[in-house]
Amino acid sequence: MEVKTMEFLGIWIAAFLTLAIFSFLYKDNPIYKFAEHLFVGISAGYVLIQELTGTLIPNLYHPLREALLGVSPAKMSRLGALVLGVMILLRFFKKTTWISRWPLALIIGTFAALRMTGYTQSDLIKQINGTMVPLRGQGLPFTSWEGASVINNLILIIGVITVLIYFFFSLEHKAPLKQGALIGTGFLMITFGSSFGYTVLGRVSLLIGCVQDLYIYAERRYGYSSLFCGVGIIIYLVLWEIRNRAKNRTMPTSL
Amino acid sequence: MVKDKVPVYITIVVGVFMILKFFVQLDFIKVVADELEQWCLVVFALAIILGVANILRLNLRIVLRREKDWPYKLVVVVSMGVMILVGIADLAIHGDISTGSGFQYLFQYILTPLSAAMFALLAFYIASAAFRAFRARNIRAILLLVSGALVMIGRVPIGASLSPIFPRLSDWIMTVPNAAGQRGLIIGAAMGMIATGLRVIFGIERPYLRGE
Amino acid sequence: MQNVKLEREMKSGGLDKRWIFLAVGALVLAFLKLPLHLSYAPNQKTLGVYKAIEGLPSGSIVYLSADYGPSSKAELLPMHRALVYHILNRDLKIIASSVWDSGPPLIDMVFKEVCEELKKQGKEKKYGIDYVNLGYKSGQDVAIAKIGTSIPETFPRDYLGTSVNQIPLMNGVINFSQIGLLCNLSVGSPGARQWLQQVQTRYKVRMVAGVTAVMAPDLYSFYQSRQIEGFLGGLVGAAEYEYLLKRPGFAMSGMNVQSLTHFLILGFVLLGNILFVSEILRQRKAKEMKSTST
């Protein structure tokens, strides 16, 4: 399959940068540091352009332009956004930092209101609703591996209540609260254990994805880029390590 | 007054307005709340750009003063500049930064592998942590490790190949006790968020007045 | 300096962590292409996603929010591809957007790949008619809440800069009343939780999700309370979905080595605990001998 020159160059760059990051597993070294700082710079530049094209141009520039041209006069209200936007940029300078408090107050007020209502509806009411499950009748089986059953529903209710008891600090954890909190701890340990299991799954998947890419980069059509970059980085690390050890030997030892 | 009190009043008014939007069906409130949301999007975008400008300032200062690691900070400044220039050039010439543009090229062959590899390192560290730190010191730790192990075995296809009990057990752990524990945490966090939200809206907590 | 090094070695059981790194790396490199013919049994959560899309009438619109970046593309890109393929293959429409800045290029890339694949199968999909990429919007929760209120007001232009009034697919689409299903792919915040809070619960929208394995345990509570109809958790979820679609991809090919690596890590946990227990027994024995000698 024919590969274009720019794609070929891009694959070599990608292979080199991937392996440069992996070189950190040996030790923090100049190649890793270069890749890390490149990542910071490219990310920052990327974010700026995306904010420009994603929000500022469609939601600020175009509406104001339409308002000024008389196409949609109502959009002149977007001038308020421009003013507040300039005010937040003034945070850049020490003397004018206080001006940014107004737009920050707008953001924080909006976030607080939206989060409060969102959490109440979704995380509080709906979750409490979901805990009100039947313990008998309605054709409910006694046990099941998946789905509702008498045992599963009972464990769910006990689990939710005891975990909430564990986090209730307004009263001292004496019996019966103490026993409730103890059971709650057990449920929390199972929760954290499951999260640990899934975290391992997730992290390993990220590595697998990277290695899959390296296998693709090592194909003949891309000039075995992963292999050459890998060997090159290993040679560099060996030489760098030899140089460092030589430098340490020649340095005077302290008394 | 202007420096301290006005921001508090802004938070109260905006907060109350945004809550009213969901409960009061009045056109005036809807129109004002919708416009406030638009303002928020724009201010948020400019706040992020402020962060980028700050990164540039910090790194440029180190480069110009030839402080420690200045060559690496030069890499930051140059790469940031290149990415911004390429993006602006694509917008000016092609009108967008989608597939086929130089901006997309830099995203695909520089940002993507760097980002992916950075997070792939975590797999190694979790293996190292598994060896060094996960000790079954008491009953609780044993419970944590056993449930984690069962989920790890049961969730992958090889677990089902070993025995059909593993995926069933793993699924049951996730669907019943895990869901119960998670729900307790979710409800608790929700109550905390409601309390914090009310404190912010009514001006008791003033995070925007900090950090100057 | 030497005492500090010795203490650290003792705590780690005398094993340099780089040997552990080497073991993990070697296993993944060596066994990635191993042809283990494993069986799959998609769980109810994966089936929930599949059935939600299968059950949509032809011509329905799916709103896909791809809220992730290259850092988690290993887990989410395979399920993104599988979902987009499934939706477009069923002649449904997709309106895609992102509240993560690195989302739009990935959306673009997946659309391009899937459309090329469908073209080879004789199914032509056109931008603006069958699918559209609305791009990125900053603002996190505020952006999501705004999308719930009005999609064209939040995205007056798409990722290519075209006004949404000129896009046929966006004709008549104002909010989620015109959307058949909300599909969210996410890695953190803003993500599935925020979509649940700001859109799903408020407007009673049908929702499915694809999340990284780290986020998956959270969603079990929301699945149980029927706030989401199903979700895909991590690479395993993506592999199960590829299996359901009979379309093996990167996810299924990664499952072999995923399984083996899990056993390796469990082996490390076991080894660490064996060394820990033997160290405790050794210290106890030393204490006993000391007390009997005195």
Side-chain angles (χ1 to χ4, degrees):
Chain A
M1 198 165 105
E2 204 192 304
V3 173
K4 294 177 196 159
T5 313
M6 286 307 285
E7 191 190 341
F8 189 85
L9 178 67
I11 294 288
W12 271 80
I13 294 169
F16 172 74
L17 292 174
T18 305
L19 292 164
I21 295 289
F22 280 143
S23 70
F24 183 74
L25 294 167
Y26 172 65
K27 213 185 257 189
D28 192 7
N29 60 80
I31 285 188
Y32 167 78
K33 277 202 176 104
F34 164 76
E36 182 191 39
H37 286 82
L38 180 68
F39 178 43
V40 171
I42 291 276
S43 300
Y46 176 85
V47 157
L48 191 142
I49 296 294
Q50 279 290 6
E51 294 301 336
L52 199 66
T53 55
T55 307
L56 294 176
I57 291 175
N59 292 66
L60 182 67
Y61 169 71
H62 281 296
L64 279 176
R65 192 167 154 267
E66 283 168 23
L68 288 168
L69 291 173
V71 175
S72 315
K75 289 184 181 166
M76 193 56 92
S77 57
R78 218 53 68 87
L79 212 57
L82 179 63
V83 169
L84 287 169
V86 169
M87 284 168 84
I88 205 157
L89 287 175
L90 290 172
R91 198 175 176 86
F92 194 75
F93 308 104
K94 255 194 185 141
K95 284 201 175 136
T96 52
T97 305
W98 66 270
I99 298 173
S100 66
R101 288 178 182 180
W102 289 31
L104 278 174
L106 166 76
I107 293 177
I108 286 167
T110 314
F111 261 82
L114 286 174
R115 283 212 169 144
M116 208 180 75
T117 48
Y119 269 85
T120 310
Q121 285 178 293
S122 169
D123 288 23
L124 187 65
I125 294 171
K126 280 281 179 184
Q127 290 295 299
I128 292 172
N129 208 3
T131 314
M132 292 176 187
V133 286
L135 288 175
R136 55 177 290 203
Q138 299 177 24
L140 205 63
F142 191 72
T143 57
S144 77
W145 282 111
E146 244 185 305
S149 71
V150 174
I151 296 291
N152 288 353
N153 288 351
L154 189 64
I155 293 173
L156 182 75
I157 293 167
I158 292 170
V160 174
I161 292 171
T162 52
V163 167
L164 287 170
I165 288 172
Y166 176 79
F167 287 112
F168 188 67
F169 299 119
S170 303
L171 290 171
E172 197 185 332
H173 282 185
K174 279 189 219 166
L177 277 182
K178 189 178 178 185
Q179 279 72 28
L182 207 64
I183 297 170
T185 315
F187 275 95
L188 284 171
M189 288 301 114
I190 295 174
T191 303
F192 297 144
S194 322
S195 293
F196 159 67
Y198 262 82
T199 302
V200 169
L201 205 153
R203 301 300 178 219
V204 170
S205 302
L206 296 177
L207 175 63
I208 289 169
C210 233
V211 174
Q212 278 172 336
D213 287 339
L214 285 172
Y215 260 101
I216 293 170
Y217 303 157
E219 286 173 9
R220 191 170 169 232
R221 59 189 168 128
Y222 297 126
Y224 310 107
S225 55
S226 310
L227 296 170
F228 283 113
C229 290
V231 167
I233 287 173
I234 290 169
I235 292 171
Y236 171 84
L237 286 174
V238 167
L239 293 171
W240 174 73
E241 188 67 39
I242 291 169
R243 186 168 154 258
N244 278 348
R245 286 186 187 187
K247 217 191 256 182
N248 288 340
R249 259 186 260 122
T250 57
M251 271 176 70
T253 50
S254 54
L255 289 164
Chain B
M1 166 81 178
V2 170
K3 279 190 184 184
D4 296 329
K5 294 270 193 275
V6 172
V8 178
Y9 298 144
I10 291 173
T11 307
I12 294 171
V13 168
V14 166
V16 169
F17 234 96
M18 296 308 297
I19 294 172
L20 277 178
K21 175 189 164 182
F22 297 110
F23 298 103
V24 177
Q25 299 294 325
L26 275 176
D27 279 343
F28 161 70
I29 291 177
K30 187 182 180 307
V31 164
V32 171
D34 283 349
E35 195 57 28
L36 281 175
E37 280 173 349
Q38 288 281 8
W39 289 12
C40 237
L41 299 184
V42 169
V43 170
F44 204 90
L46 284 164
I48 292 174
I49 288 174
L50 175 72
V52 172
N54 217 18
I55 292 173
L56 183 66
R57 175 169 63 174
L58 281 165
N59 286 281
L60 207 55
R61 190 183 290 161
I62 294 171
V63 170
L64 292 171
R65 289 180 187 176
R66 296 289 191 267
E67 289 174 19
K68 189 180 174 239
D69 286 342
W70 74 265
Y72 296 115
K73 307 304 176 195
L74 184 63
V75 169
V76 174
V77 172
V78 168
S79 54
M80 196 192 304
V82 165
M83 196 69 173
I84 292 169
L85 285 169
V86 168
I88 291 172
D90 277 324
L91 283 171
I93 298 166
H94 307 291
D96 65 72
I97 48 168
S98 64
T99 308
S101 65
F103 188 78
Q104 177 85 347
Y105 183 88
L106 292 176
F107 171 83
Q108 193 173 340
Y109 293 115
I110 299 182
L111 187 53
T112 298
L114 282 170
S115 195
M118 204 62 98
F119 279 78
L121 287 180
L122 291 168
F124 298 98
Y125 289 102
I126 209 159
S128 168
F131 175 73
R132 290 159 155 232
F134 294 129
R135 300 283 184 257
R137 290 175 204 278
N138 48 41
I139 299 289
R140 292 176 195 185
I142 292 170
L143 201 55
L144 191 147
L145 282 174
V146 166
S147 55
L150 285 170
V151 166
M152 277 169 69
I153 298 171
R155 204 60 196 96
V156 286
I158 210 166
S161 306
L162 287 174
S163 166
I165 198 82
F166 284 121
R168 283 185 159 177
L169 205 53
S170 154
D171 235 1
W172 182 84
I173 288 171
M174 295 307 297
T175 317
V176 186
N178 165 70
Q182 290 285 355
R183 184 164 286 168
L185 292 169
I186 288 165
I187 291 171
M191 290 195 276
M193 179 58 72
I194 292 163
T196 310
L198 285 169
R199 288 170 63 85
V200 168
I201 289 170
F202 292 127
I204 302 165
E205 280 231 17
R206 301 166 194 187
Y208 37 83
L209 297 183
R210 287 189 226 128
E212 284 167 29
Chain C
M1 178 69 121
Q2 256 189 324
N3 284 338
V4 169
K5 194 179 169 193
L6 188 67
E7 201 184 304
R8 222 181 285 151
E9 264 188 39
M10 280 174 65
K11 275 189 184 159
S12 65
L15 188 66
D16 188 339
K17 64 183 178 196
R18 287 177 291 192
W19 290 114
I20 299 172
F21 297 163
L22 191 63
V24 173
L27 183 89
V28 174
L29 270 168
F31 293 102
L32 187 63
K33 300 292 181 189
L34 185 75
L36 277 174
H37 298 289
L38 302 169
S39 59
Y40 289 85
N43 64 18
Q44 291 299 318
K45 291 87 197 157
T46 308
L47 281 168
V49 179
Y50 183 82
K51 284 175 186 169
I53 294 172
E54 278 289 304
L56 287 171
S58 183
S60 299
I61 302 175
V62 175
Y63 194 96
L64 175 75
S65 188
D67 305 328
Y68 71 101
S71 57
S72 45
K73 76 177 181 73
E75 289 187 271
L76 293 177
L77 202 57
M79 60 173 85
H80 188 175
R81 281 190 192 110
L83 284 165
V84 168
Y85 176 85
H86 190 193
I87 295 167
L88 289 178
N89 196 33
R90 284 213 65 245
D91 296 324
L92 305 169
K93 317 278 183 195
I94 304 179
I95 296 174
S97 74
S98 181
V99 288
W100 276 52
D101 50 54
S102 35
L106 294 167
I107 295 171
D108 226 16
M109 192 177 85
V110 170
F111 274 141
K112 189 174 167 224
E113 282 173 15
V114 170
C115 287
E116 269 170 25
E117 189 184 338
L118 286 169
K119 196 176 178 183
K120 286 177 190 166
Q121 296 170 13
K123 283 189 168 181
E124 188 92 29
K125 296 292 170 186
K126 287 203 167 67
Y127 184 89
I129 297 172
D130 298 297
Y131 64 96
V132 68
N133 181 359
L134 296 178
Y136 159 69
K137 199 59 58 184
S138 66
Q140 300 191 358
D141 299 46
V142 180
I144 294 171
K146 189 93 191 99
I147 292 169
T149 319
S150 169
I151 299 169
E153 269 184 34
T154 316
F155 294 101
R157 287 170 188 268
D158 74 347
Y159 189 48
L160 303 175
T162 314
S163 171
V164 292
N165 297 332
Q166 295 167 0
I167 299 174
L169 178 55
M170 296 299 293
N171 271 346
V173 174
I174 301 164
N175 52 37
F176 280 85
S177 308
Q178 293 85 43
I179 303 292
L181 183 72
L182 167 63
C183 183
N184 175 246
L185 297 167
S186 58
V187 64
S189 177
R193 291 284 295 274
Q194 284 68 34
W195 279 97
L196 278 163
Q197 288 161 3
Q198 304 298 339
V199 173
Q200 192 283 323
T201 316
R202 270 199 194 119
Y203 306 107
K204 296 180 181 28
V205 177
R206 291 183 66 198
M207 180 173 163
V208 295
V211 296
T212 55
V214 172
M215 267 189 80
D218 288 358
L219 291 191
Y220 279 85
S221 318
F222 295 99
Y223 175 77
Q224 190 276 335
S225 62
R226 293 191 174 81
Q227 284 168 270
I228 44 173
E229 293 184 24
F231 65 93
L232 307 176
L235 195 67
V236 175
E240 288 176 352
Y241 208 77
E242 283 177 359
Y243 174 78
L244 284 171
L245 292 179
K246 297 181 179 53
R247 186 177 166 270
F250 278 114
M252 281 177 77
S253 66
M255 278 298 104
N256 302 338
V257 79
Q258 176 96 47
S259 308
L260 292 172
T261 316
H262 278 204
F263 280 104
L264 178 70
I265 290 173
L266 283 170
F268 282 135
V269 173
L270 198 64
L271 184 65
N273 279 286
I274 289 170
L275 290 171
F276 173 66
V277 168
S278 63
E279 180 60 27
I280 288 177
L281 290 171
R282 190 191 65 78
Q283 282 176 3
R284 246 185 230 170
K285 206 174 180 181
K287 226 185 240 177
E288 274 170 21
M289 280 180 70
K290 205 175 177 183
S291 59
T292 49
S293 65
T294 51

